[in-house]
Each structure stands twice: as structure tokens, then as C-alpha cells.
Amino acid sequence: MKIKNDKNCSWINDLNPRSNIKTLNSNELCDWLIVGAGYTGLSAARKLAQLQPNKNIILVDAQLAGEGASSRNSGYLVDTTLNDGFTSNKDIENYKKKTNIYDLGIKTVKKFIKEYQVSCDWNETGKYFASSKIVDEKLLINFSKTLTRLGFQNNFFYNKELTKRLGTTFYNVGLYTKGGILLHPGKLVRSMIDVLPSNVLLFENSYLKSWQKIKNSILCNFKNGKITANKIIFATNGFLKTLGIKKNYNFPLTLTASMTRKLSDKEFQSIGKPKEWGVLPVRPMGATIRMTKDRRILIRNTAEVHNPFSMSQFDLDKRSINQRIGIKKRFPQLPEDIIQSSWSGIVSRSRNSSQIFEKIDENIFVAGCYNGSGIGVGTLFGEQIAIKASEQHTKEIEIIESRNKPNWLPPQPLLNLAIQSRLIYERIRAKSEI
Ligand SMILES: Cc1cc2nc3c(=O)[nH]c(=O)nc-3n(C[C@H](O)[C@H](O)[C@H](O)COP(=O)(O)OP(=O)(O)OC[C@H]3O[C@@H](n4cnc5c(N)ncnc54)[C@H](O)[C@@H]3O)c2cc1C
């Protein structure tokens, strides 16, 4: 198997291509192997190298480092989310635990970008949970009560004010939450690659085919080589299941997104020159849509069960047409052919929206399954799993470990049937918001 990505993601194309790419073509021994070089694996490698400077650490990725979901997301570093079952006060304690983790995630990314002077278009602009359907006000009122109880500043806006702020008349009700950051995901993950310490050896385009624990070592087979490691951290997120890890607790979903070219002065004027903003849907399958600071519009309006290893150009084009319609609905004055790029990416989900952070066996650790909110949580979990694996303890680990653990999932084909029917149901409910 090979992970085959489409080559057309604007966030990646914004960056200079990297050189000096090493691929595994030999047999290696190491103290630590980290599999997966997205936010999680890169953060784990950075932290582990700091904590254990005399150990040799190998980090591998099946594709170019950082070019999985970590470069392909919408760039919302969230403090709160709505679409994960916490819409009433009933579950407030669990919701609080969840937001505590988001908060730690934001702090971890903030500390990282300060320490390494990272420029990733960081903007503490807050975000909107918005809908074209005024009936969704009910859901938002409930959510607003929960947020207020937990001390998150939030305000309601309606069509006229939303039009001014967002440049579209589409939305009729929106709850603005002050926390949350918009950023350039590709720049953030690239900076994590750039600052990898010298005791981390990175092999890219090196797909881990199989692994097994033999006595005290972990033997890992790649196409052109083997790595024997004393200890291992799995950070493959949407691909945990394909490696047989926590396979009854997480499943992959494929998301697709599109980005327009930069709007011209005239086009930008026609939508009222709004400042950078981000909208999250009130209904789970509605569109995430964002105006970047350099006047591009990003839209993500799919989530589906699909082969996580690749998406054909034909399939991607179909989804891109859907996204063109989503943009047209909101910005009818913009030209039809304004989309510059479309791409897919893989996320990992659990049944109860909880994450995985565990020692699964002696010397084997795993962090992942962020349910679509992995920028902050992935960076946090990467650092903290390295600390846990180094047998140290932090208050962050205590907070992470006090969360609900992911619930058990039924086996296939029941699982895919259940997910697909749920997605179809949610898609119908969100029809107007796509
Ligand atoms: C379209 C889209 C929009 C999103 N929007 C947001 C958002 O706005 N905010 C947010 O917080 N999150 C968002 N997410 C989710 C976020 O991108 C992920 O949660 C995050 O990137 C997870 O980071 P990670 O390092 O754990 O995993 P990844 O970035 O997926 O990295 C895992 C790596 O493991 C590698 N790998 C897998 N299998 C193997 C193997 N067998 N051998 C070697 N390497 C392997 C992959 O190549 C990959 O590079 C979005 C995701 C997508 C796709």
C-alpha cells in the first residue's frame, strides 16, 4: 500500500519545496521510532529529543513530512467546538474537560511559535458558529448558555451584522466566540520540520508496512529496509486503524476542501472588504468556510467514508464542484472559476469524540484521533506522549488522562454501515448549509 496524495493543496503550494529528503533504504537500529510526521509525530520527536539528547530517534513518514492532514486542514486552532454532541448543559462536565484540553493545545502551540519565532499567519480573530436557518438559533442559545457557564465570551449576530462582518448575506444567525485562532496550517507544520533537533533522523516516503514486537524490540518492515527499535510512538492519526492500533476505537474519515485564488481588489470590494474570518457550521455536515488574511476563501463541506490511501482526480473533481456551488451560494457575485485548488485529507474519529493517548503495551505508545481538531491537541498530545514515554509526569498528562476514553466500535461491515447512515442523515439535515 502507498499513501497517494493529490498534489494540489494551496497551503502546501504556498511554501518553498523542501530539499534533502531522505528515504529509508537500509536496516537501522534506534532507541526510539516515531511513525507519522504530522503535528503529533513532529512534536513528539522534538520533545523526546530534548528530554533524551543522547538517544537516537528515527521519525518516519509514508509521504513528505507534514503533507498529510497537518498541511491540509482549515487552520482553525479551536478553543471550543459545537458539533460533537455537547450542545446542552447535561454534559457540561465532559465538555469542560474537552475545552481544558483545547486550552492546553492552544497554549502549547503558542509557546512553540514564540520559542521558535514561527510565522504562521497567527490571528486571534475568534470564530463564528453560523447558519442560514434562523431555527438554528435554538441550538445556538443552548450552546451559548454552556459557553457562558464555562466563562467563554460569546455574542449573537444576525443577518445584517453578519453581512457586514463576513461579506455574505447567506447567514441569518451566528454565535461569535472570541477565543480561537486562525492560522496557516502548512506554515505551522513546516516550522516543526525545520526545527527538528539533530538527534532526530527523518525518513520520508517510507511507508511502514508491518510491525511486530519480538521480546524487547519492535521490528518494523518498510519497502526497502527494516528498523528495529527499543521503543515506538505511533502518530499516524487517520492511519492508526490500518496499522492495527486501537482498531476498535477509531476510524478514518476523508475530508475534502477547496481554496479560491486571491480575490482581486474589485471582487474584494464587491463583498465589502471584510477582515479575516472563520465560520464553523451549526449542523455537523455543513460547510466550514474561511476568509484568509490574503483574501482567499476556503471551503470544506464533505466528510465521508472513503479509501484513506488515495482519492482519484475524478472523485476529487466531483467534490470540488460541490464546493464551487457552496461558494457561489454565499458569494454569487464572484466568478464561477475562482477555485484554485482542491484536496483531500484524512482525519481520525472515535464514537464519542474522545482522543487516544496511551501506552498500549510495554514500550509502545500512541497519540491521535482528534476528531477534526488536531492542530492544538495534536501538538499537545505529541509533546505529552513523549513525556509520558520518558516516564515523567506533568499536570497536562493528568488533565489528558482524566478525559473520557474512546468508546468501543462495532466490527465491519456494521461499522461502515452505521457511519454511512449517520453521515447521510447529517447531510440531509445540513442540506441548506453545504
Ligand atoms: C480538510 C481538513 C480540515 C481540517 N480542519 C481542521 C481545523 O480547522 N482545525 C483542526 O484543529 N484540525 C483540522 N483538521 C484535522 C487536523 O488536520 C488533524 O487532526 C491533524 O493534522 C492531526 O495531526 P497528526 O500529526 O496526528 O496526523 P497527520 O497530519 O495525519 O499525520 C500523520 C502522518 O502519518 C503518516 N503515516 C500514516 N500511515 C503511515 C505508515 N504506515 N507509515 C509511515 N507513515 C504513515 C501520514 O503520511 C501522515 O503524514 C482538518 C483535517 C482535514 C483533512
Side-chain angles (χ1 to χ4, degrees):
M1 277 286 194
K2 206 168 170 247
I3 299 176
K4 240 181 89 203
N5 260 324
D6 38 88
K7 296 272 175 247
N8 196 17
C9 171
S10 289
W11 296 126
I12 297 174
N13 297 342
D14 287 346
L15 308 175
N16 292 328
R18 288 178 41 244
S19 55
N20 198 16
I21 311 288
K22 292 195 191 79
T23 298
L24 185 74
N25 283 313
S26 53
N27 292 343
E28 303 283 338
L29 293 173
C30 63
D31 297 306
W32 285 96
L33 175 63
I34 300 169
V35 188
Y39 302 127
T40 308
L42 289 160
S43 302
R46 184 177 65 252
K47 188 49 98 183
L48 203 54
Q50 287 162 0
L51 293 171
Q52 306 196 23
N54 300 323
K55 299 285 182 192
N56 68 323
I57 300 164
I58 296 181
L59 172 62
V60 288
D61 201 290
Q63 50 188 316
L64 290 179
E67 295 200 5
S70 292
S71 278
R72 294 165 176 270
N73 61 68
S74 309
Y76 292 65
L77 175 52
V78 291
D79 60 336
T80 53
T81 48
L82 170 60
N83 293 324
D84 48 18
F86 296 112
T87 50
S88 80
N89 291 352
K90 263 198 291 183
D91 224 354
I92 195 146
E93 264 313 305
N94 285 333
Y95 188 72
K96 189 167 180 321
K97 282 185 186 164
K98 201 172 176 90
T99 56
N100 286 343
I101 289 179
Y102 289 149
D103 180 51
L104 290 177
I106 292 177
K107 286 184 177 137
T108 308
V109 178
K110 218 170 179 169
K111 188 161 171 274
F112 170 76
I113 63 167
K114 195 163 167 220
E115 196 170 331
Y116 293 96
Q117 300 285 299
V118 172
S119 143
C120 60
D121 303 346
W122 181 274
N123 187 351
E124 295 185 12
T125 178
K127 61 190 178 312
Y128 299 83
F129 295 94
S131 175
S132 72
K133 292 219 171 287
I134 199 73
V135 289
D136 284 344
E137 189 187 18
K138 246 195 189 156
L139 268 171
L140 288 175
I141 288 172
N142 265 340
F143 184 45
S144 165
K145 282 185 195 153
T146 306
L147 292 178
T148 306
R149 269 182 71 182
L150 294 177
F152 292 100
Q153 200 178 317
N154 63 93
N155 305 78
F156 272 93
F157 291 111
Y158 295 89
N159 178 271
K160 222 168 152 192
E161 184 61 27
L162 289 170
T163 303
K164 247 201 269 165
R165 288 168 170 255
L166 310 178
T168 165
T169 55
F170 181 78
Y171 293 104
N172 284 311
V173 57
L175 185 69
Y176 172 74
T177 58
K178 193 159 177 280
I181 290 110
L182 292 177
L183 52 74
H184 189 306
K187 288 186 184 171
L188 176 64
V189 74
R190 174 63 66 86
S191 70
M192 293 183 182
I193 301 167
D194 291 344
V195 304
L196 275 176
S198 57
N199 57 329
V200 178
L201 179 58
L202 172 63
F203 289 116
E204 300 170 76
N205 296 321
S206 305
Y207 176 70
L208 172 62
K209 291 195 301 184
S210 62
W211 64 280
Q212 68 186 122
K213 193 167 179 216
I214 301 175
K215 292 193 183 148
N216 288 330
S217 310
I218 298 119
L219 179 64
C220 296
N221 294 307
F222 295 79
K223 189 172 164 217
N224 295 317
K226 290 184 197 311
I227 300 178
T228 308
N230 293 338
K231 299 185 182 191
I232 192 165
I233 297 176
F234 287 102
T236 54
N237 202 39
F239 297 88
L240 287 172
K241 203 177 168 82
T242 61
L243 288 169
I245 295 157
K246 301 289 296 175
K247 63 177 194 243
N248 293 326
Y249 295 88
N250 76 105
F251 58 92
L253 279 186
T254 300
L255 312 187
T256 50
S258 291
M259 180 113 86
T260 67
R261 57 163 169 74
K262 288 180 188 172
L263 303 192
S264 67
D265 286 349
K266 209 168 144 202
E267 287 161 352
F268 193 50
Q269 185 122 26
S270 78
I271 65 166
K273 294 194 191 169
K275 290 205 185 105
E276 180 171 26
W277 52 258
V279 167
L280 292 170
V282 175
R283 299 174 185 226
M285 290 294 278
T288 296
I289 183 152
R290 170 178 169 187
M291 169 71 66
T292 65
K293 77 166 196 190
D294 62 357
R295 307 176 179 182
R296 292 182 288 181
I297 300 168
L298 175 144
I299 180 164
R300 202 274 303 154
N301 63 8
T302 69
E304 58 190 310
V305 178
H306 190 278
N307 168 12
F309 287 91
S310 69
M311 178 174 279
S312 70
Q313 194 55 47
F314 177 76
D315 282 349
L316 188 57
D317 289 346
K318 276 206 304 206
R319 285 145 186 86
S320 176
I321 290 171
N322 216 3
Q323 288 159 358
R324 189 166 75 197
I325 295 168
I327 291 180
K328 197 78 196 154
K329 261 203 304 208
R330 290 161 176 89
F331 301 99
Q333 63 276 57
L334 297 180
E336 292 273 339
D337 60 350
I338 199 160
I339 287 182
Q340 187 171 55
S341 72
S342 301
W343 63 88
S344 63
I346 312 303
V347 296
S348 170
R349 288 219 52 133
S350 60
R351 188 171 172 178
N352 57 342
S353 296
S354 194
Q355 309 94 349
I356 296 172
F357 180 89
E358 262 181 71
K359 173 177 176 176
I360 51 171
D361 196 349
E362 210 44 52
N363 301 331
I364 304 181
F365 299 85
V366 54
C369 191
Y370 308 118
N371 298 286
S373 309
I375 301 178
V377 186
T379 307
L380 167 75
F381 275 35
E383 289 193 2
Q384 296 299 323
I385 201 75
I387 297 172
K388 183 178 168 78
S390 306
E391 294 178 6
Q392 295 186 20
H393 199 72
T394 59
K395 82 168 184 334
E396 286 85 351
I397 293 179
E398 213 170 286
I399 294 171
I400 293 168
E401 293 191 333
S402 76
R403 83 209 183 284
N404 284 340
K405 307 282 179 297
N407 287 345
W408 184 84
L409 293 162
Q412 296 293 10
L414 275 184
L415 176 63
N416 274 2
L417 266 174
I419 302 167
Q420 268 156 346
S421 356
R422 179 65 194 245
L423 291 176
I424 291 170
Y425 168 73
E426 294 293 356
R427 232 180 137 71
I428 294 168
R429 283 190 65 218
K431 201 162 170 250
S432 60
E433 308 305 304
I434 293 169

Short mmCIF file of all heavy atoms in Angstrom, two decimals, residues 127-166:
data_model
loop_
_atom_site.label_atom_id
_atom_site.label_comp_id
_atom_site.label_asym_id
_atom_site.label_seq_id
_atom_site.Cartn_x
_atom_site.Cartn_y
_atom_site.Cartn_z
N LYS A 127 -14.12 33.12 16.18
CA LYS A 127 -14.80 32.41 15.09
C LYS A 127 -16.31 32.48 15.27
O LYS A 127 -16.80 32.82 16.36
CB LYS A 127 -14.34 30.96 15.05
CG LYS A 127 -14.68 30.20 16.32
CD LYS A 127 -14.02 28.85 16.37
CE LYS A 127 -14.33 28.12 17.66
NZ LYS A 127 -14.16 28.86 18.91
N TYR A 128 -17.02 32.17 14.20
CA TYR A 128 -18.48 32.20 14.23
C TYR A 128 -19.01 30.78 14.06
O TYR A 128 -18.50 30.02 13.24
CB TYR A 128 -19.03 33.03 13.07
CG TYR A 128 -18.60 34.47 13.08
CD1 TYR A 128 -17.36 34.84 12.55
CD2 TYR A 128 -19.43 35.46 13.61
CE1 TYR A 128 -16.96 36.17 12.56
CE2 TYR A 128 -19.02 36.80 13.61
CZ TYR A 128 -17.79 37.14 13.09
OH TYR A 128 -17.38 38.44 13.09
N PHE A 129 -20.05 30.44 14.82
CA PHE A 129 -20.84 29.25 14.53
C PHE A 129 -22.11 29.81 13.88
O PHE A 129 -22.90 30.48 14.55
CB PHE A 129 -21.21 28.50 15.82
CG PHE A 129 -20.00 27.94 16.53
CD1 PHE A 129 -19.37 28.65 17.54
CD2 PHE A 129 -19.49 26.69 16.18
CE1 PHE A 129 -18.26 28.13 18.19
CE2 PHE A 129 -18.38 26.17 16.83
CZ PHE A 129 -17.76 26.89 17.83
N ALA A 130 -22.27 29.59 12.57
CA ALA A 130 -23.35 30.32 11.89
C ALA A 130 -24.20 29.41 11.02
O ALA A 130 -23.76 28.35 10.59
CB ALA A 130 -22.75 31.44 11.05
N SER A 131 -25.43 29.88 10.79
CA SER A 131 -26.38 29.11 9.98
C SER A 131 -27.26 30.05 9.17
O SER A 131 -27.54 31.18 9.59
CB SER A 131 -27.26 28.27 10.91
OG SER A 131 -28.25 27.61 10.16
N SER A 132 -27.72 29.55 8.01
CA SER A 132 -28.66 30.36 7.23
C SER A 132 -30.07 30.17 7.79
O SER A 132 -30.98 30.91 7.45
CB SER A 132 -28.62 29.91 5.76
OG SER A 132 -29.23 28.65 5.62
N LYS A 133 -30.24 29.16 8.63
CA LYS A 133 -31.58 28.83 9.15
C LYS A 133 -31.78 29.47 10.51
O LYS A 133 -31.08 29.12 11.47
CB LYS A 133 -31.70 27.32 9.30
CG LYS A 133 -31.71 26.59 7.99
CD LYS A 133 -32.71 25.46 8.08
CE LYS A 133 -32.96 24.79 6.78
NZ LYS A 133 -33.72 25.51 5.82
N ILE A 134 -32.76 30.33 10.60
CA ILE A 134 -33.00 31.03 11.87
C ILE A 134 -33.42 30.04 12.96
O ILE A 134 -33.17 30.26 14.14
CB ILE A 134 -33.97 32.23 11.68
CG1 ILE A 134 -33.85 33.22 12.84
CG2 ILE A 134 -35.40 31.81 11.47
CD1 ILE A 134 -32.62 34.05 12.87
N VAL A 135 -34.02 28.89 12.55
CA VAL A 135 -34.40 27.89 13.57
C VAL A 135 -33.19 27.37 14.34
O VAL A 135 -33.31 26.89 15.47
CB VAL A 135 -35.15 26.67 12.98
CG1 VAL A 135 -36.54 27.01 12.53
CG2 VAL A 135 -34.35 26.00 11.88
N ASP A 136 -32.02 27.48 13.73
CA ASP A 136 -30.81 27.00 14.42
C ASP A 136 -30.42 27.90 15.60
O ASP A 136 -29.52 27.57 16.38
CB ASP A 136 -29.64 26.89 13.43
CG ASP A 136 -29.78 25.66 12.55
OD1 ASP A 136 -30.59 24.78 12.90
OD2 ASP A 136 -29.09 25.59 11.52
N GLU A 137 -31.13 29.02 15.72
CA GLU A 137 -30.88 29.90 16.86
C GLU A 137 -31.07 29.13 18.17
O GLU A 137 -30.34 29.35 19.14
CB GLU A 137 -31.84 31.10 16.81
CG GLU A 137 -31.51 32.18 17.82
CD GLU A 137 -32.56 33.26 17.87
OE1 GLU A 137 -33.68 33.03 17.38
OE2 GLU A 137 -32.26 34.33 18.40
N LYS A 138 -32.04 28.22 18.17
CA LYS A 138 -32.34 27.42 19.37
C LYS A 138 -31.11 26.65 19.85
O LYS A 138 -30.75 26.68 21.01
CB LYS A 138 -33.44 26.41 19.01
CG LYS A 138 -34.73 26.62 19.69
CD LYS A 138 -35.52 25.35 19.51
CE LYS A 138 -36.93 25.50 19.96
NZ LYS A 138 -37.74 24.50 19.27
N LEU A 139 -30.49 25.96 18.89
CA LEU A 139 -29.28 25.20 19.20
C LEU A 139 -28.18 26.12 19.74
O LEU A 139 -27.47 25.81 20.70
CB LEU A 139 -28.73 24.58 17.92
CG LEU A 139 -29.17 23.18 17.56
CD1 LEU A 139 -28.71 22.83 16.16
CD2 LEU A 139 -28.54 22.21 18.56
N LEU A 140 -28.08 27.28 19.08
CA LEU A 140 -27.03 28.22 19.47
C LEU A 140 -27.29 28.83 20.84
O LEU A 140 -26.35 29.12 21.59
CB LEU A 140 -26.87 29.30 18.40
CG LEU A 140 -26.22 28.82 17.10
CD1 LEU A 140 -26.21 29.92 16.04
CD2 LEU A 140 -24.78 28.34 17.35
N ILE A 141 -28.56 29.02 21.18
CA ILE A 141 -28.88 29.57 22.50
C ILE A 141 -28.42 28.59 23.58
O ILE A 141 -27.77 28.97 24.56
CB ILE A 141 -30.39 29.91 22.63
CG1 ILE A 141 -30.70 31.15 21.78
CG2 ILE A 141 -30.79 30.15 24.08
CD1 ILE A 141 -32.19 31.48 21.65
N ASN A 142 -28.71 27.32 23.37
CA ASN A 142 -28.24 26.28 24.31
C ASN A 142 -26.73 26.30 24.44
O ASN A 142 -26.17 26.23 25.53
CB ASN A 142 -28.63 24.90 23.79
CG ASN A 142 -29.92 24.43 24.41
OD1 ASN A 142 -30.32 24.94 25.45
ND2 ASN A 142 -30.56 23.49 23.76
N PHE A 143 -26.10 26.37 23.28
CA PHE A 143 -24.64 26.35 23.25
C PHE A 143 -24.08 27.59 23.95
O PHE A 143 -23.12 27.51 24.74
CB PHE A 143 -24.17 26.28 21.79
CG PHE A 143 -22.68 26.16 21.63
CD1 PHE A 143 -21.94 25.27 22.40
CD2 PHE A 143 -22.01 26.91 20.67
CE1 PHE A 143 -20.56 25.15 22.24
CE2 PHE A 143 -20.64 26.80 20.50
CZ PHE A 143 -19.92 25.92 21.29
N SER A 144 -24.72 28.72 23.69
CA SER A 144 -24.27 29.98 24.30
C SER A 144 -24.33 29.89 25.83
O SER A 144 -23.43 30.35 26.54
CB SER A 144 -25.15 31.13 23.79
OG SER A 144 -24.98 32.26 24.58
N LYS A 145 -25.41 29.24 26.34
CA LYS A 145 -25.54 29.08 27.81
C LYS A 145 -24.38 28.27 28.35
O LYS A 145 -23.79 28.60 29.39
CB LYS A 145 -26.87 28.38 28.14
CG LYS A 145 -28.06 29.31 28.06
CD LYS A 145 -29.31 28.57 28.51
CE LYS A 145 -30.56 29.34 28.11
NZ LYS A 145 -31.72 28.48 27.93
N THR A 146 -24.06 27.18 27.66
CA THR A 146 -22.94 26.33 28.10
C THR A 146 -21.64 27.15 28.10
O THR A 146 -20.87 27.11 29.05
CB THR A 146 -22.79 25.12 27.15
OG1 THR A 146 -24.03 24.45 27.08
CG2 THR A 146 -21.71 24.17 27.62
N LEU A 147 -21.43 27.88 27.01
CA LEU A 147 -20.20 28.66 26.91
C LEU A 147 -20.12 29.69 28.03
O LEU A 147 -19.07 29.87 28.66
CB LEU A 147 -20.12 29.37 25.55
CG LEU A 147 -19.94 28.48 24.32
CD1 LEU A 147 -19.94 29.33 23.04
CD2 LEU A 147 -18.63 27.70 24.41
N THR A 148 -21.23 30.37 28.27
CA THR A 148 -21.24 31.42 29.30
C THR A 148 -20.96 30.80 30.67
O THR A 148 -20.16 31.35 31.44
CB THR A 148 -22.59 32.17 29.28
OG1 THR A 148 -22.80 32.62 27.95
CG2 THR A 148 -22.61 33.35 30.23
N ARG A 149 -21.58 29.67 30.94
CA ARG A 149 -21.33 29.00 32.24
C ARG A 149 -19.86 28.66 32.42
O ARG A 149 -19.34 28.68 33.53
CB ARG A 149 -22.15 27.71 32.33
CG ARG A 149 -23.50 27.94 32.95
CD ARG A 149 -24.27 26.67 33.08
NE ARG A 149 -23.74 25.75 34.10
CZ ARG A 149 -24.25 24.55 34.36
NH1 ARG A 149 -25.31 24.15 33.68
NH2 ARG A 149 -23.73 23.78 35.27
N LEU A 150 -19.21 28.36 31.31
CA LEU A 150 -17.80 27.99 31.41
C LEU A 150 -16.86 29.18 31.22
O LEU A 150 -15.64 29.02 31.17
CB LEU A 150 -17.47 26.90 30.38
CG LEU A 150 -18.17 25.56 30.63
CD1 LEU A 150 -17.85 24.57 29.53
CD2 LEU A 150 -17.74 24.98 31.98
N GLY A 151 -17.43 30.36 31.08
CA GLY A 151 -16.61 31.58 31.02
C GLY A 151 -16.08 31.94 29.64
O GLY A 151 -15.15 32.73 29.52
N PHE A 152 -16.68 31.36 28.57
CA PHE A 152 -16.25 31.74 27.21
C PHE A 152 -17.10 32.90 26.72
O PHE A 152 -18.33 32.78 26.66
CB PHE A 152 -16.41 30.57 26.23
CG PHE A 152 -15.47 29.43 26.49
CD1 PHE A 152 -15.90 28.30 27.17
CD2 PHE A 152 -14.16 29.49 26.04
CE1 PHE A 152 -15.03 27.24 27.41
CE2 PHE A 152 -13.29 28.44 26.28
CZ PHE A 152 -13.72 27.32 26.97
N GLN A 153 -16.43 33.98 26.37
CA GLN A 153 -17.16 35.15 25.88
C GLN A 153 -17.82 34.83 24.53
O GLN A 153 -17.16 34.27 23.65
CB GLN A 153 -16.17 36.29 25.70
CG GLN A 153 -16.84 37.63 25.68
CD GLN A 153 -15.79 38.72 25.55
OE1 GLN A 153 -14.75 38.68 26.20
NE2 GLN A 153 -16.06 39.69 24.70
N ASN A 154 -19.11 35.17 24.40
CA ASN A 154 -19.78 34.89 23.12
C ASN A 154 -20.90 35.89 22.88
O ASN A 154 -21.48 36.41 23.84
CB ASN A 154 -20.31 33.46 23.11
CG ASN A 154 -21.36 33.20 24.17
OD1 ASN A 154 -22.56 33.33 23.94
ND2 ASN A 154 -20.94 32.86 25.40
N ASN A 155 -21.16 36.19 21.60
CA ASN A 155 -22.21 37.15 21.25
C ASN A 155 -22.99 36.65 20.05
O ASN A 155 -22.41 36.07 19.15
CB ASN A 155 -21.62 38.47 20.71
CG ASN A 155 -20.67 39.11 21.64
OD1 ASN A 155 -19.53 38.68 21.73
ND2 ASN A 155 -21.14 40.15 22.30
N PHE A 156 -24.28 37.00 20.04
CA PHE A 156 -25.10 36.68 18.87
C PHE A 156 -25.03 37.80 17.83
O PHE A 156 -25.01 38.97 18.18
CB PHE A 156 -26.57 36.50 19.29
CG PHE A 156 -26.84 35.09 19.71
CD1 PHE A 156 -26.74 34.71 21.04
CD2 PHE A 156 -27.16 34.13 18.76
CE1 PHE A 156 -26.96 33.40 21.42
CE2 PHE A 156 -27.39 32.81 19.13
CZ PHE A 156 -27.29 32.45 20.46
N PHE A 157 -25.02 37.40 16.57
CA PHE A 157 -25.17 38.36 15.48
C PHE A 157 -26.21 37.82 14.52
O PHE A 157 -26.37 36.60 14.37
CB PHE A 157 -23.84 38.55 14.73
CG PHE A 157 -22.81 39.26 15.56
CD1 PHE A 157 -21.68 38.59 16.00
CD2 PHE A 157 -22.96 40.60 15.88
CE1 PHE A 157 -20.73 39.23 16.78
CE2 PHE A 157 -22.02 41.25 16.66
CZ PHE A 157 -20.90 40.56 17.10
N TYR A 158 -26.90 38.74 13.84
CA TYR A 158 -27.93 38.33 12.89
C TYR A 158 -27.58 38.86 11.51
O TYR A 158 -26.52 39.47 11.33
CB TYR A 158 -29.30 38.80 13.41
CG TYR A 158 -29.63 38.06 14.70
CD1 TYR A 158 -29.23 38.58 15.94
CD2 TYR A 158 -30.26 36.82 14.67
CE1 TYR A 158 -29.46 37.89 17.12
CE2 TYR A 158 -30.50 36.11 15.86
CZ TYR A 158 -30.09 36.65 17.06
OH TYR A 158 -30.31 35.94 18.23
N ASN A 159 -28.47 38.62 10.56
CA ASN A 159 -28.12 38.78 9.14
C ASN A 159 -27.39 40.08 8.78
O ASN A 159 -26.37 40.04 8.09
CB ASN A 159 -29.39 38.62 8.30
CG ASN A 159 -29.09 38.81 6.83
OD1 ASN A 159 -29.13 39.92 6.33
ND2 ASN A 159 -28.73 37.73 6.16
N LYS A 160 -27.92 41.22 9.28
CA LYS A 160 -27.37 42.49 8.82
C LYS A 160 -25.91 42.65 9.26
O LYS A 160 -25.02 42.98 8.46
CB LYS A 160 -28.20 43.63 9.43
CG LYS A 160 -28.48 44.73 8.44
CD LYS A 160 -29.51 45.66 8.97
CE LYS A 160 -29.29 47.03 8.37
NZ LYS A 160 -30.08 48.02 9.05
N GLU A 161 -25.68 42.35 10.53
CA GLU A 161 -24.33 42.50 11.08
C GLU A 161 -23.39 41.43 10.50
O GLU A 161 -22.22 41.69 10.19
CB GLU A 161 -24.41 42.40 12.61
CG GLU A 161 -23.12 42.63 13.36
CD GLU A 161 -22.49 44.00 13.16
OE1 GLU A 161 -23.23 44.97 12.87
OE2 GLU A 161 -21.25 44.10 13.28
N LEU A 162 -23.95 40.22 10.31
CA LEU A 162 -23.13 39.14 9.74
C LEU A 162 -22.71 39.50 8.31
O LEU A 162 -21.58 39.23 7.89
CB LEU A 162 -23.88 37.80 9.76
CG LEU A 162 -24.06 37.18 11.15
CD1 LEU A 162 -25.03 35.98 11.09
CD2 LEU A 162 -22.72 36.72 11.74
N THR A 163 -23.62 40.11 7.57
CA THR A 163 -23.30 40.51 6.19
C THR A 163 -22.12 41.48 6.20
O THR A 163 -21.19 41.36 5.40
CB THR A 163 -24.54 41.17 5.54
OG1 THR A 163 -25.62 40.24 5.61
CG2 THR A 163 -24.29 41.55 4.11
N LYS A 164 -22.16 42.41 7.14
CA LYS A 164 -21.07 43.39 7.23
C LYS A 164 -19.75 42.72 7.57
O LYS A 164 -18.71 43.01 7.03
CB LYS A 164 -21.41 44.41 8.33
CG LYS A 164 -21.66 45.80 7.78
CD LYS A 164 -21.50 46.85 8.85
CE LYS A 164 -22.85 47.11 9.52
NZ LYS A 164 -22.76 47.84 10.77
N ARG A 165 -19.82 41.78 8.53
CA ARG A 165 -18.60 41.16 9.02
C ARG A 165 -18.02 40.13 8.06
O ARG A 165 -16.81 39.95 8.00
CB ARG A 165 -18.86 40.48 10.37
CG ARG A 165 -19.06 41.47 11.48
CD ARG A 165 -19.61 40.81 12.72
NE ARG A 165 -19.55 41.74 13.81
CZ ARG A 165 -18.66 41.70 14.80
NH1 ARG A 165 -17.79 40.75 14.87
NH2 ARG A 165 -18.66 42.63 15.74
N LEU A 166 -18.93 39.40 7.35
CA LEU A 166 -18.47 38.25 6.55
C LEU A 166 -18.49 38.52 5.04
O LEU A 166 -17.90 37.77 4.27
CB LEU A 166 -19.32 37.01 6.84
CG LEU A 166 -19.54 36.64 8.32
CD1 LEU A 166 -20.44 35.42 8.44
CD2 LEU A 166 -18.19 36.34 9.00
#
